[in-house]
Amino acid sequence: VSALVSLLIWAPLVGALIVPFFPERTADQRGRVRIVGLFASGAALFFSLLVAFMYIGDPTATTIGTLNEQHNWIVNVAFAVTYHVDIDGTAVALIQLTALLFCCAAFYSWKYNEHIRLRVASMLVLETSLLGVLCSQDLFLLTLFWAGAGAPLYLLIRHTVNGERTATRFAVYFGASWGLLLLAVSLLAFHTPASGYSHTFDMGVVLAQNILATVPGVGREAFALLMLALAIGCGAVPFHRGFVAVAGSEDAGVASLYAGVLSKVGLFVVMKVGLQAFPEMIISTGWLFMLAGAVTGFWGLACSWRAGDLRQAVAYFGVFQTGLALLAFGSATVTSLVGLVLMLVAQGLVQAILTYVAAGVVERTKTAQISKLGGLAWQAPRLAGFWVLAALVAVGTPLLPVFTAMLLMTTGAYVNHHVAGFLIVILVMLSGFVLLGLGRRVFFGPSQEAYERSADIGTLDFAVLVPIVAGVVMYGVLPLRIIPVIEFTARAIATRVGAQ
Amino acid sequence: MSPLYNVAWAVLLLPLFGAFASFLFETPRRAAHAVVACNGAGLLAAIFTLFFRIAHRHDKVSDGLLGFLQTNPSGGPNSVQFAATFQPQLGIRVDNFSAAFAAVVMFVAVLVLWHATSSMRKDAAYRRIFWCSSLLIFAVVGAVMSPNLFQMVFMFMLASSTTYILMTHWWEDGEVAEKARRGLAWLLAGDAALLVSMVVVFARIAPDAAAQPVAGSQSLNDPFDFSVIGTEVTRITSHAVPGVGSKTVAVIGILVAIAALIRLAVVPAVAWLGAAVEAPLPATAMALSLVSGTGAILLARMWPVLLAVPHELSVIALIGVASAVICAAVALTLRDIAHFCVWISGAQLGVVVATFGVGGYAPALEELSIFFVLNSVLILTCGNLVRIFATRDIKEMGGAWRRAHATAIPMAIWAVFIAGLDMSNYNAISVVLRNRFASQPATASGGAVSGGVQTAVLLGVVAAALLIVVAAVRVAVLTCRGEPVSRRGFNTDRVRNVEPRAVGTVLVLIGGLAALVATGIPAFVKGWTFSHFVFFGEPPLLPQSLPVVGTAVVLAIAVGAAGLVAWSWYAGARRVEAPRANAWVRIAQRQLGIETGLARVTEGASAFVADILRGADSLVADRLEDVAGENFGIAGALAGRARTGRLVYQLLAAVAILAVAVSIAVFAAAGGRL
């Protein structure tokens, strides 16, 4: 049991190390490469489910360090870095989201024939990085894992059509985000009173210190750096263009991972580090979060609604999701934090469905221009059905996960910021409205002659979309199972915020 | 409490089960039958529950609850303000109110579904109509049997989504899909208001509710429970809750009223009904009759809050009566029979709202229960007429009485009922008259509504009733009298009755309607009238004492008669068009320009802002990023030019030297203990 977290993190990397040794000249050989990728992702999904079942059976396991692994790595110098990994309650749901979407992306790789080794290996490295971020209990380790996500994503983006420009844009944004995060983490660690004669990066020690009380100036700088890193990394307005470029890329697998997982993981980092390290600042600048959230949310929705390109519309929808999450940060109550985690998962799943469906539309019609689309439900009713389902999830239909998340976020946020509560409800309702409008323009209306030969989704698309829908149903129908697990850690964070 | 109350769970769950069961059958026909069977069983359970409740009407309220989710908000920066437990629950409440309405709703729903097995049998998406309708029935019954505000929100939102799916049934027509989206926008606006009201209830009322002794066998004082809300509102208005004042109650009351009035399709929210008529016939019937009526259920359950907010009932009454007059006036001028159904529904609902507003709790609920059935009769009959005439234009219909007697009879019966026999006019008028002129007002709240408002409501209700009667008789006469109108592509010889099942269902509905009206007659069987039953045992409310108001009877009959006379005078013995619309009616005929106008204004303004934002993205952000990206690219290109085989080795060597140097430095700094 004690090695379970490491198995979860490194299983995909093992696959990534094996893949380069496989040839990729023939279809069979490429198939083998993909199967290795699928197995490695599947292993991570299996371990994530194992963890989830452990915690659902006994939520207190999240607090007593059942899965804790801690080994010295770099010690006895000016700083001490440990290989410290664990899974807390807030991470469980996001780990499941990550493992699930990577599995789906592994299925989706069957659609590609070029650079298949590079693609599969990059995805597996990316998965290891993101799972590492979610499990890290050491700030330096977390930063390294976060940095590790950059290279594979860059390679994946670069190999798409017209990917060079997008990759460049991504590199600029991601580099800036990572640099700022590293600076913030370093400031935090080096201003934490040293234990022995080395400063530690261990999250438990660093976050327990109230840096704003001990070194107020440095604390404020670290806070600003961290928030800037968040804004850039997660696509908050005005730093959203990089996000939109990648989330709207032609490779649906990459786009779904970026918008559905990476941005959500980034938000999770801020919740985990930012809220605990700077509770006073979070509370005092709550209005700023609210403002940023409202602007980002409305901006994303407005641009999604008026976008001329379907993929861009879906990408902008991801920007809206970032705004929605920001609205919950400012209040930092137990309820809003539980709602936030659920919302990240739910929106991640919605974003993945939208991305794959948009890719399916473009694949069949050879165009992403919304003005040229319409009436596709005649030829692809299942594709339309998946879109409508995603829209109904987004609009907060009961028994689907956004409903529960919205309920908790609104209730939690309302206490500290009444307006935030209202804004969350309005944004969620508007988001569904925008998606249904897009769906109407793309799928409904009379059949178009140009697309009469288009086919509906096949087995492969089903293999990608059905697991995501299963996740949606599970989180929607059984919120009572996962909420106690999330709540344990959320309470610890909120208590720390409240204690300041 | 008797375990037999658990039968009520079947009323709620069988429609849901039916929706899922429909997917287990291979053929759509079998799936439809499965849905009808499940809902039929639900109807039997509802009837059993109703009779059991009638036999035990002195029993206390019976609740059955399941936890939907639970969090413990304490521990954060809000632990002082929050209640310790946030535990929304789903379940059933069996009291006289819910037992009566569940039976009525299930009765209508099953007959509508049965009608659909015949009228929709050639539809390509036959299965979808049934599973989705069954889900909608679940949502409506869930709202009716709701024990708390959370479930009301839950069921309202579920009803919105399922209504949307049904509204987009004929998605091939882009306009239908667009209308459905706009209809959904209205419903969502109401849902958002209700959700926020629930949040306010939790944030402001829950802490005090949690501190009170737990009532009955429950494990906690659920702050969303309607009874708890009522008790807390009383405590707040008597200043017994520190830090919470009447402002909170006003906010909750206003939000609830907004949600209910939108659902009740008062002008301009009547637009959502306009979208619903584009759905298949059963969906239209359920949306216009049942879904819209859930707004009144919400008003009834949150009645103590409405009573506590000064002037709120007056405003509700005025909105209701204005809506009724406008809708009736528009209905009078329409040629499209589907739109006629929309506006006549809006008019009846307006009268229900007005009756609520003047404090007529029981009369309004009675009007509502009759509306459920009466409106279904209208919509199914209109659906039958559209099928036999193959048009929605009233002017192109005619001769139904001679050619399709069985199909035409329900239309005539409907017109007679709505002319006054359904007692809606009497109910609304009698409440105002009692409040205005009797020494004992109909309710305590009735006295709170000012005399001016009551007079305005009285005049408005009379005007609306007159217009409704004229509109109803006009449509009945135009569709039934004379001979079918010849038109290109339509063979008048084909005008004949629809299949017996479609006619039979409507006639059964009429039978139910007659029984329902009979229970509504004051003092019909003393102690067994509807108004006494729905009130009984519902603290803090007491049974409304509603003796017959003679003046109201005379006035209601006069209104019906005047309507008939007005039409006869106008129409004479000739076949006539709709009354010539003067300027304001013409505006109303275009739905007051509200639907399209609002859509244009809001969408136009939003599109303008959105385009600016999108423009800012491409004009400003893109250029800035391109500059950064270009520099990055230039740097890359320069590095590429400098790249030679030798350079790579030099770089590798440099990295190796650097690594060794760093290692030595670290080793030295660590004092040799690395």
Side-chain angles (χ1 to χ4, degrees):
Chain A
V1 171
S2 61
L4 189 56
V5 183
S6 288
L7 280 172
L8 170 71
I9 296 171
W10 300 111
L13 191 69
V14 173
L17 293 175
I18 294 171
V19 160
F21 297 102
F22 281 69
E24 60 169 6
R25 282 186 291 278
T26 66
D28 282 350
Q29 289 168 347
R30 287 193 290 271
R32 273 182 223 121
V33 171
R34 295 184 192 108
I35 286 171
V36 171
L38 187 61
F39 260 103
S41 298
L45 181 62
F46 171 75
F47 291 128
S48 77
L49 290 174
L50 210 60
V51 172
F53 282 122
M54 272 181 64
Y55 281 176
I56 285 171
D58 178 19
T60 55
T62 55
T63 55
I64 58 173
T66 313
L67 299 176
N68 194 41
E69 288 177 51
Q70 188 165 13
H71 307 286
N72 287 340
W73 182 24
I74 304 171
V75 290
N76 287 334
V77 286
F79 54 86
V81 179
T82 56
Y83 174 75
H84 187 184
V85 288
D86 195 357
I87 296 176
D88 61 32
T90 49
V92 173
L94 283 162
I95 286 172
Q96 278 185 310
L97 171 76
T98 307
L100 178 67
L101 292 193
F102 270 94
C103 254
C104 295
F107 271 120
Y108 200 74
S109 66
W110 258 268
K111 293 218 168 195
Y112 296 91
N113 285 319
E114 288 183 7
H115 308 292
I116 198 69
R117 281 185 305 196
L118 177 78
R119 181 184 175 81
V120 170
S122 299
M123 278 196 348
L124 292 173
V125 173
L126 181 62
E127 184 172 8
T128 289
S129 302
L130 295 180
L131 288 171
V133 171
L134 289 166
C135 299
S136 291
Q137 296 298 319
D138 184 283
L139 287 173
F140 191 80
L141 195 62
L142 183 144
T143 317
L144 277 187
F145 274 126
W146 185 249
L153 253 178
Y154 180 84
L155 291 172
L156 282 167
I157 296 163
R158 203 180 157 84
H159 281 92
T160 57
V161 183
N162 304 323
E164 201 164 327
R165 188 171 176 222
T166 311
T168 306
R169 189 173 276 187
F170 164 76
V172 171
Y173 275 101
F174 191 84
S177 166
W178 178 72
L180 292 168
L181 179 68
L182 183 63
L183 271 173
V185 163
S186 304
L187 280 175
L188 275 174
F190 284 107
H191 286 86
T192 302
S195 82
Y197 53 88
S198 61
H199 294 281
T200 179
F201 278 90
D202 193 85
M203 221 179 263
V205 178
V206 174
L207 301 185
Q209 306 298 323
N210 189 354
I211 194 166
L212 283 164
T214 50
V215 209
V218 175
R220 277 195 289 274
E221 282 168 22
F223 175 75
L225 289 169
L226 189 67
M227 292 306 127
L228 204 55
L230 153 79
I232 295 172
C234 301
V237 172
F239 308 106
H240 60 290
R241 289 297 293 173
F243 178 96
V244 171
V246 183
S249 98
E250 300 198 4
D251 185 333
V254 174
S256 74
L257 295 178
Y258 184 74
V261 181
L262 190 119
S263 64
K264 310 297 181 269
V265 171
L267 288 162
F268 168 81
V269 170
V270 177
M271 185 184 84
K272 197 169 167 181
V273 178
L275 280 178
Q276 294 191 79
F278 312 102
E280 275 178 2
M281 291 293 285
I282 295 281
I283 293 296
S284 61
T285 58
W287 62 272
L288 202 59
F289 279 94
M290 204 178 67
L291 188 67
V295 169
T296 304
F298 281 113
W299 195 297
L301 281 183
C303 292
S304 181
W305 176 39
R306 300 297 290 175
D309 181 299
L310 184 61
R311 283 187 298 237
Q312 289 277 307
V314 171
Y316 270 113
F317 195 77
V319 174
F320 144 75
Q321 293 171 346
T322 299
L324 195 62
L326 286 174
L327 279 169
F329 273 126
S331 67
T333 60
V334 178
T335 315
S336 68
L337 291 180
V338 174
L340 172 61
V341 174
L342 277 180
M343 187 61 91
L344 291 178
V345 175
Q347 295 287 10
L349 294 170
V350 168
Q351 186 71 19
I353 294 176
L354 294 176
T355 308
Y356 286 121
V357 172
V361 168
V362 176
E363 186 186 333
R364 280 153 184 80
T365 60
K366 312 294 178 214
T367 180
Q369 281 190 37
I370 296 171
S371 58
K372 290 184 179 172
L373 296 168
L376 269 178
W378 287 93
Q379 289 81 31
R382 290 171 188 159
L383 209 58
F386 279 111
W387 184 282
V388 172
L389 174 72
L392 291 178
V393 176
V395 84
T397 303
L399 298 177
L400 296 174
V402 169
F403 172 75
T404 313
M406 172 177 63
L407 187 70
L408 293 171
M409 274 175 75
T410 310
T411 310
Y414 178 83
V415 176
N416 285 343
H417 299 284
H418 290 358
V419 180
F422 288 102
L423 284 174
I424 289 168
V425 174
I426 291 168
L427 276 174
V428 168
M429 301 272 175
L430 274 180
S431 72
F433 195 60
V434 165
L435 285 187
L436 288 172
L438 280 171
R440 181 188 65 77
R441 287 149 72 192
V442 173
F443 293 106
F444 296 161
S447 175
Q448 292 199 24
E449 200 179 333
Y451 308 134
E452 270 182 359
R453 292 192 167 189
S454 302
D456 203 354
I457 51 175
T459 314
L460 181 59
D461 293 301
F462 257 114
V464 173
L465 286 166
V466 167
I468 304 175
V469 172
V472 165
V473 173
M474 193 190 75
Y475 273 92
V477 177
L478 298 171
L480 199 56
R481 308 288 291 168
I482 195 75
I483 283 174
V485 179
I486 302 171
E487 196 181 1
F488 256 86
T489 312
R491 171 160 299 106
I493 296 173
T495 306
R496 174 149 173 73
V497 176
Q500 297 303 309
Chain B
M1 201 59 67
S2 169
L4 285 174
Y5 278 119
N6 288 324
V7 173
W9 277 104
V11 186
L12 178 66
L13 295 179
L14 278 170
L16 183 64
F17 178 74
F20 289 120
S22 69
F23 293 102
L24 301 176
F25 294 89
E26 194 176 351
T27 65
R29 192 165 158 268
R30 292 271 178 219
H33 287 169
V35 168
V36 175
C38 287
N39 283 281
L43 172 61
L44 292 178
I47 291 170
F48 172 83
T49 308
L50 175 62
F51 280 101
F52 188 78
R53 189 71 201 179
I54 288 172
H56 300 82
R57 59 187 184 282
H58 298 283
D59 278 4
K60 284 184 180 172
V61 169
S62 164
D63 282 345
L65 293 165
L66 297 171
F68 178 69
L69 59 88
Q70 181 179 348
T71 67
N72 300 305
S74 59
N78 48 359
S79 51
V80 179
Q81 303 163 48
F82 254 152
T85 308
F86 177 70
Q87 191 179 348
Q89 300 178 100
L90 294 174
I92 51 166
R93 164 157 297 178
V94 187
D95 54 10
N96 298 357
F97 176 98
S98 65
F101 274 99
V104 175
V105 165
M106 288 306 293
F107 173 68
V108 171
V110 169
L111 286 172
V112 169
L113 286 176
W114 187 240
H115 185 278
T117 56
S118 152
S119 61
M120 302 304 300
R121 67 183 185 281
K122 288 178 185 166
D123 195 273
Y126 190 64
R127 188 193 302 263
R128 188 168 70 219
I129 292 172
F130 281 89
W131 73 254
C132 208
S133 296
S134 199
L135 210 54
L136 186 60
I137 294 166
F138 166 71
V140 173
V141 174
V144 166
M145 304 188 82
S146 169
N148 56 49
L149 191 57
F150 167 73
Q151 183 164 325
M152 200 62 98
V153 173
F154 187 99
M155 294 302 173
F156 264 50
M157 293 181 76
L158 191 61
S160 300
S161 297
T162 43
T163 305
Y164 173 77
I165 296 174
L166 286 166
M167 286 193 294
T168 50
H169 185 78
W170 285 301
W171 49 263
E172 303 91 342
D173 184 344
E175 207 171 306
V176 168
E178 179 56 22
K179 272 189 178 177
R181 198 171 68 99
R182 287 183 187 163
L184 180 69
W186 279 107
L187 293 174
L188 289 181
D191 295 347
L194 192 58
L195 182 63
V196 174
S197 78
M198 191 194 108
V199 171
V200 177
V201 164
F202 182 73
R204 306 294 288 162
I205 288 181
D208 187 65
Q212 303 308 312
V214 177
S217 58
Q218 294 190 7
S219 58
L220 77 162
N221 261 344
D222 180 6
F224 303 128
D225 188 291
F226 294 121
S227 308
V228 175
I229 291 174
T231 313
E232 283 299 317
V233 165
T234 312
R235 282 173 55 74
I236 291 169
T237 48
S238 57
H239 308 290
V241 183
V244 183
S246 53
K247 202 169 138 190
T248 300
V249 180
V251 169
I252 297 168
I254 290 167
L255 289 169
V256 165
I258 290 171
L261 292 180
I262 287 178
R263 195 53 65 123
L264 281 162
V266 297
V267 173
V270 70
W272 83 260
L273 293 186
V277 287
E278 306 300 340
L281 184 61
T284 302
M286 279 192 248
L288 266 63
S289 305
L290 302 182
V291 178
S292 58
T294 51
I297 302 286
L298 174 65
L299 285 181
R301 289 299 197 188
M302 295 295 279
W303 189 243
V305 180
L306 304 182
L307 289 180
V309 182
H311 307 302
E312 182 166 15
L313 282 175
S314 302
V315 174
I316 288 175
L318 290 174
I319 289 173
V321 80
S323 178
V325 172
I326 292 170
C327 288
V330 175
L332 187 59
T333 65
L334 291 171
R335 282 177 56 168
D336 185 324
I337 202 164
H339 287 161
F340 169 78
C341 291
V342 167
W343 290 91
I344 209 78
S345 305
Q348 292 173 80
L349 288 166
V351 174
V352 173
V353 172
T355 314
F356 258 121
V358 288
Y361 178 95
L365 287 180
E366 189 189 322
E367 284 172 25
L368 179 70
S369 66
I370 291 169
F371 167 80
F372 280 156
V373 187
L374 184 61
N375 214 39
S376 304
V377 170
L378 168 69
I379 292 158
L380 294 186
T381 305
C382 289
N384 289 343
L385 288 171
V386 169
R387 285 172 65 205
I388 61 174
F389 289 110
T391 178
R392 280 171 38 167
D393 191 338
I394 297 168
K395 264 184 72 183
E396 293 179 348
M397 296 178 177
W401 190 264
R402 189 168 294 172
R403 299 288 185 90
H405 196 64
T407 312
I409 285 173
M411 180 54 100
I413 296 175
W414 170 80
V416 172
F417 266 95
I418 207 164
L421 199 61
D422 69 341
M423 307 246 309
S424 294
N425 300 341
Y426 165 78
N427 278 323
I429 293 167
S430 69
V431 172
V432 178
L433 288 180
R434 276 192 65 79
N435 287 338
R436 193 83 178 92
F437 302 110
S439 56
Q440 187 76 36
T443 59
S445 61
V449 180
S450 70
V453 171
Q454 302 224 25
T455 308
V457 170
L458 179 64
L459 293 175
V461 166
V462 169
L466 259 175
L467 290 168
I468 288 172
V469 175
V470 174
V473 176
R474 172 190 155 238
V475 169
V477 169
L478 287 181
T479 54
C480 296
R481 245 183 55 179
E483 287 293 328
V485 179
S486 298
R487 64 179 194 276
R488 179 178 280 186
F490 179 68
N491 182 3
T492 52
D493 293 337
R494 289 175 59 191
V495 176
R496 60 176 68 113
N497 277 318
V498 288
E499 59 275 21
R501 191 186 298 174
V503 176
T505 24
V506 182
L507 292 176
V508 175
L509 271 172
I510 291 171
L513 178 65
L516 203 54
V517 170
T519 63
I521 297 171
F524 179 65
V525 180
K526 198 167 184 180
W528 287 86
T529 55
F530 186 89
S531 58
H532 281 77
F533 180 66
V534 294
F535 254 95
F536 208 90
E538 287 280 46
L541 304 166
L542 298 168
Q544 277 189 315
S545 171
L546 295 172
V548 179
V549 181
T551 320
V553 173
V554 172
L555 203 48
I557 292 171
V559 165
L564 287 169
V565 170
W567 176 258
S568 308
W569 169 75
Y570 191 83
R574 298 173 294 118
R575 180 185 183 79
V576 292
E577 312 265 331
R580 202 168 169 180
N582 56 27
W584 74 270
V585 175
R586 264 205 303 277
I587 294 168
Q589 197 169 5
R590 289 173 199 152
Q591 304 185 0
L592 286 168
I594 287 163
E595 193 181 344
T596 46
L598 266 180
R600 274 186 200 157
V601 169
T602 49
E603 292 204 4
S606 316
F608 178 71
V609 174
D611 286 341
I612 289 174
L613 298 181
R614 208 161 57 91
D617 269 4
S618 45
L619 281 174
V620 183
D622 268 7
R623 288 185 186 178
L624 286 173
E625 284 159 14
D626 283 347
V627 170
E630 275 169 22
N631 290 335
F632 201 78
I634 290 166
L638 286 173
R641 264 184 224 162
R643 190 177 65 189
T644 59
R646 205 170 165 191
L647 182 72
V648 171
Y649 290 118
Q650 285 169 350
L651 281 175
L652 278 175
V655 169
I657 291 165
L658 197 64
V660 171
V662 168
S663 303
I664 292 169
V666 168
F667 189 71
R673 292 193 296 273
L674 192 64

